[in-house]
Amino acid sequence: LQTLAGVWDYVPGAAKDHSFWDFAMDVVIDHETAWVIGTSKGEHQGDTNRPTRGLALPMDLHTGKLLTPAIVAPASVGFPQNVFFGGTLHPAGLLVTGYGCDTDYSNYRIETSLYSPSGDLIWSQHDLTGIGTRNGNDVAYDSQGRVIIAASVQDNGALRGYVFARTVGEKAALPLFEHWFPASKPSEALGVLVDAYDRIFPAGYI
């Protein structure tokens, strides 16, 4: 993974150099810290199957040096692999979104999580479990405590943009709201922002 400080490689414990494949997807600035968000593939927790896991690196904004240990997403039952695509700041830490999948890369679900700066998993929520692509691409947080996710979902063989919201810290069967891009052509919701009035601005293509 290329950073301002050079090439960074995730090497926990006694693992061999370059035994992990690392890829950055997004970056979030918090004062003097740059959170580099992405994924790491390797022998996490000694797993020789080399699972893919979400990764967040707290780096010095000016030097690119790692400030504290990397956050590596844990495995979930039935979904031992995961990826982070986007992130944003939260008063309690870092919100990230991406996907979780099984070992065969066939069953997917959108996963959104909140981590403390020290790497503790505070809250998580999964949505739209099924076969085919289910990516949480970007995430925003508003003044009402809502997390808004821009996503891509495979629908009838084609990708379709999807934007929805959850309340951070709560578990609910259904999203607070959801909006699907038109199904007439392939589409994706790739980014999202909220303004000072909590108006939501998703972006993507169709």
Side-chain angles (χ1 to χ4, degrees), residues 31-109:
H31 300 289
E32 299 300 304
T33 301
W35 285 96
V36 179
I37 295 163
T39 184
S40 175
K41 182 178 179 62
E43 295 183 11
H44 293 285
Q45 298 174 314
D47 189 342
T48 56
N49 291 319
R50 298 178 57 81
T52 301
R53 296 284 173 81
L55 181 72
L57 309 175
M59 292 183 160
D60 184 280
L61 181 61
H62 305 286
T63 67
K65 298 295 185 181
L66 195 65
L67 297 174
T68 57
I71 295 174
V72 180
S76 299
V77 176
F79 294 84
Q81 303 194 96
N82 44 61
V83 168
F84 296 159
F85 283 120
T88 193
L89 296 178
H90 181 277
L94 183 71
L95 275 166
V96 291
T97 191
Y99 71 72
C101 69
D102 59 13
T103 55
D104 299 325
Y105 295 95
S106 55
N107 289 306
Y108 288 80
R109 65 186 187 184

Side-chain angles (χ1 to χ4, degrees), residues 124-169:
S124 65
Q125 176 74 52
H126 60 80
D127 291 276
L128 294 183
T129 301
I131 297 174
T133 300
R134 275 113 169 90
N135 291 344
N137 295 317
D138 197 14
V139 62
Y141 181 70
D142 71 11
S143 66
Q144 302 175 59
R146 302 181 304 180
V147 55
I148 297 93
I149 300 103
S152 306
V153 178
Q154 190 168 340
D155 180 35
N156 292 324
L159 286 176
R160 189 174 178 192
Y162 178 54
V163 180
F164 66 102
R166 290 283 186 180
T167 299
V168 176

Side-chain angles (χ1 to χ4, degrees), residues 2-55:
Q2 182 66 48
T3 73
L4 290 175
V7 177
W8 183 91
D9 189 31
Y10 180 62
V11 185
K16 297 179 181 178
D17 287 348
H18 304 292
S19 58
F20 288 80
W21 176 85
D22 308 307
F23 194 81
M25 312 286 191
D26 196 10
V27 62
V28 177
I29 305 299
D30 182 12
H31 300 289
E32 299 300 304
T33 301
W35 285 96
V36 179
I37 295 163
T39 184
S40 175
K41 182 178 179 62
E43 295 183 11
H44 293 285
Q45 298 174 314
D47 189 342
T48 56
N49 291 319
R50 298 178 57 81
T52 301
R53 296 284 173 81
L55 181 72

